[in-house]
Amino acid sequence: MAYLLKNAMLFQDGQFRPADLSIAEGRIVSIARHLAGLPGACAVDLHNAAVFPGFVDVHVHLREPGFSYKETIRTGSLSAARGGYTHVCPMPNLDPVPDCLAALAPQLALIARDAAVHVHPYGAITCGERGEALSDMAELAPRVCAFSDDGRGVQDEAQMRAAMAEARRLGKLIAAHCEDNRLLNGGYIHDGTYARTHGHRGICSESEWGQIARDLRLAEETGCAYHVCHVSAQESVSLIREAKARGVDVTCETAPHYLILCDEDLREDGRFKMNPPLRAASDRAALLQGLLDGTIDMVATDHAPHSAQEKSRGLEGSFMGVVGLETAFAALYTHLVKQGVLPLGRLVDLLHTNPARRFGFGSPLAEGQPADLTVFDLDRPFVVNPEDFQSMGRATPFAGMELYGVCRLTMVDGNIVWREENI
């Protein structure tokens, strides 16, 4: 179907400009003021709302196959569409774990049938994510975006070295969940003031940065393209900054909750429990500095839905993970851009340009490009109500917050996959 998006405020090269967009056969045909549109095109008046390139989230959990009581490809991808995302990468902690082509096949079938946005699955680094033997990386490589054992750190150094060598041979990224199990000691929130004053067992920051240091050394040794998942600690930022200065082929991500909250904001509620945990205010400050100086390349949500029962057992007993696809842009825009911490152009780089460049998918707002885009009313506030989510997950630390930036429309390959009713 052909569309004419009228009265748009197109965000390009760090600034807005008024334009109409003509879209047909899945692509942007033309961008100009006062377009007439193609014959028979459906006209949609955007009323001067902001148009961005579709966001790219390289770290989500869609839970299917294996855990469809938490989320499905359909509900998770609709959640992504509502959040302005047109490309998402689901992690491989599934059943079956995609560690060979036969195990990946059920997930690919579900994606082909049910996905509302582009879904690019990960392959596992090791068989069953058990850290004992490498997956069939060569067989998986043409069909996965990268390799990860997310949810578990690869504990054995020799195993990670072998994985990196094979990934380099195949021209694929290793995206690492960095966590040294020897240092966890039963912890479940950050080992900081809140944990000590409220009688909780803490997770030390070294459990993250220690394994990052190891992996950076291995990436430098093997020449592997290496990506660090959900960075949360100030030491991690410093290590990655130093590695980049040495020429190591490394990128990294953090998540909105680590940029907006810290352990001072914790409550005795499972919606504040995730892995890695919310760390100290000094860690949050280091992450923000990392955004500004380019050490941190992208923001990913680590959208990790669980059932209501699994998240109802407080900080100690709840499963780790929060949802984030439907709040990410608005939370970052409200707390960072509107507060003058981060330019809007930098936020678009973090959500679109940089992940697209590193992972190889996502398209700019330009004539001839795929019509993957999203439309936001930046002036409209809303209160986060998890019961309104498209996601089956409800646990978010942003519940009850007033945020700015309502997603009014998202388009994938020229098809409208999310549209707010009042457009």
Side-chain angles (χ1 to χ4, degrees):
M1 186 173 183
Y3 288 94
L4 177 63
L5 304 183
K6 296 189 64 64
N7 300 313
M9 292 299 292
L10 204 65
F11 192 78
Q12 290 180 313
D13 301 321
Q15 59 188 3
F16 288 107
R17 67 181 182 94
D20 298 341
L21 292 88
S22 177
I23 293 165
E25 297 183 355
R27 294 188 174 270
I28 300 172
V29 176
S30 56
I31 301 173
R33 295 292 303 272
H34 311 305
L35 286 174
L38 297 171
C42 175
V44 181
D45 193 335
L46 300 183
H47 303 287
N48 298 312
V51 178
F52 300 105
F55 304 143
V56 178
D57 193 339
V58 303
H59 190 150
V60 302
H61 298 267
L62 300 185
R63 303 301 192 199
E64 199 176 30
F67 305 94
S68 57
Y69 71 94
K70 300 175 188 272
E71 188 80 289
T72 67
I73 298 291
R74 185 64 180 169
T75 60
S77 62
L78 284 172
S79 178
R82 192 188 184 198
Y85 291 90
T86 56
H87 293 263
V88 296
C89 303
M91 287 296 179
N93 49 347
L94 302 167
D95 186 12
V97 171
D99 53 16
C100 64
L101 190 56
L104 177 65
Q107 186 184 8
L108 293 177
L110 288 165
I111 291 168
R113 189 188 73 185
D114 294 338
V117 302
H118 302 291
V119 176
H120 312 270
Y122 277 89
I125 295 173
T126 65
C127 292
E129 290 196 323
R130 293 187 294 270
E132 297 169 358
L134 291 187
S135 68
D136 195 338
M137 295 173 71
E139 183 180 58
L140 289 166
R143 298 168 176 84
V144 298
C145 65
F147 292 98
S148 181
D149 269 8
D150 188 65
R152 304 179 185 183
V154 176
Q155 302 302 305
D156 184 74
E157 180 171 328
Q159 193 73 270
M160 183 57 105
R161 179 185 289 108
M164 286 187 174
E166 179 69 351
R168 185 192 179 192
R169 185 183 75 84
L170 296 168
K172 303 298 287 189
L173 278 164
I174 290 285
H177 173 113
C178 292
E179 186 173 42
D180 188 335
N181 293 347
R182 298 170 300 180
L183 300 177
L184 297 180
N185 299 316
Y188 46 87
I189 64 171
H190 175 59
D191 185 18
T193 302
Y194 188 95
R196 290 190 287 272
T197 57
H198 291 79
H200 291 295
R201 293 188 299 279
I203 300 174
C204 69
S205 296
E206 188 178 357
S207 64
E208 173 182 301
W209 64 256
Q211 201 166 91
I212 290 175
R214 180 204 72 180
D215 284 359
L216 289 169
R217 174 169 49 81
L218 295 176
E220 193 166 16
E221 174 187 320
T222 62
C224 173
Y226 177 61
H227 179 76
V228 189
C229 296
H230 45 47
V231 170
S232 70
Q234 55 191 310
E235 296 90 346
S236 303
V237 179
S238 296
L239 286 165
I240 294 165
R241 182 182 291 117
E242 293 164 5
K244 287 188 171 189
R246 296 196 307 273
V248 179
D249 186 0
V250 57
T251 53
C252 68
E253 70 191 49
T254 191
H257 38 274
Y258 304 122
L259 296 168
I260 295 168
L261 304 170
C262 65
D263 69 343
E264 296 172 12
D265 300 301
L266 284 172
R267 302 180 195 173
E268 297 296 314
D269 190 316
R271 66 190 178 91
F272 289 86
K273 186 178 182 182
M274 69 288 291
N275 189 25
L278 295 174
R279 299 202 187 273
S282 58
D283 294 292
R284 176 178 175 269
L287 293 172
L288 291 171
Q289 182 58 43
L291 291 188
L292 294 170
D293 68 20
T295 301
I296 296 175
D297 303 272
M298 60 197 80
V299 175
T301 65
D302 194 5
H303 176 86
H306 294 291
S307 70
Q309 183 181 21
E310 290 167 341
K311 293 298 289 183
S312 66
R313 304 165 188 164
L315 287 176
E316 181 174 2
S318 293
F319 283 30
M320 288 179 166
V322 295
V323 296
L325 284 166
E326 293 171 66
T327 56
F329 175 83
L332 295 166
Y333 178 74
T334 301
H335 288 275
L336 301 186
V337 177
K338 284 181 69 67
Q339 297 300 316
V341 177
L342 196 71
L344 180 57
R346 178 63 179 150
L347 180 56
V348 174
D349 287 343
L350 293 162
L351 294 178
H352 167 78
T353 310
N354 294 348
R357 181 183 300 120
R358 181 61 159 171
F359 282 74
F361 38 76
S363 52
L365 288 175
E367 292 178 355
Q369 291 291 327
D372 293 344
L373 56 86
T374 187
V375 179
F376 275 82
D377 184 343
L378 298 179
D379 297 323
R380 183 174 160 192
F382 69 100
V383 175
V384 176
N385 179 4
E387 296 306 312
D388 292 339
F389 286 171
Q390 295 295 301
S391 172
M392 292 167 63
R394 298 289 185 264
T396 169
F398 301 136
M401 276 192 185
E402 183 178 74
L403 302 177
Y404 282 81
V406 173
C407 184
R408 299 181 64 186
L409 181 146
T410 298
M411 183 171 276
V412 172
D413 283 337
N415 297 308
I416 294 175
V417 294
W418 169 257
R419 183 171 179 173
E420 197 196 16
E421 289 183 1
N422 70 354
I423 262 193

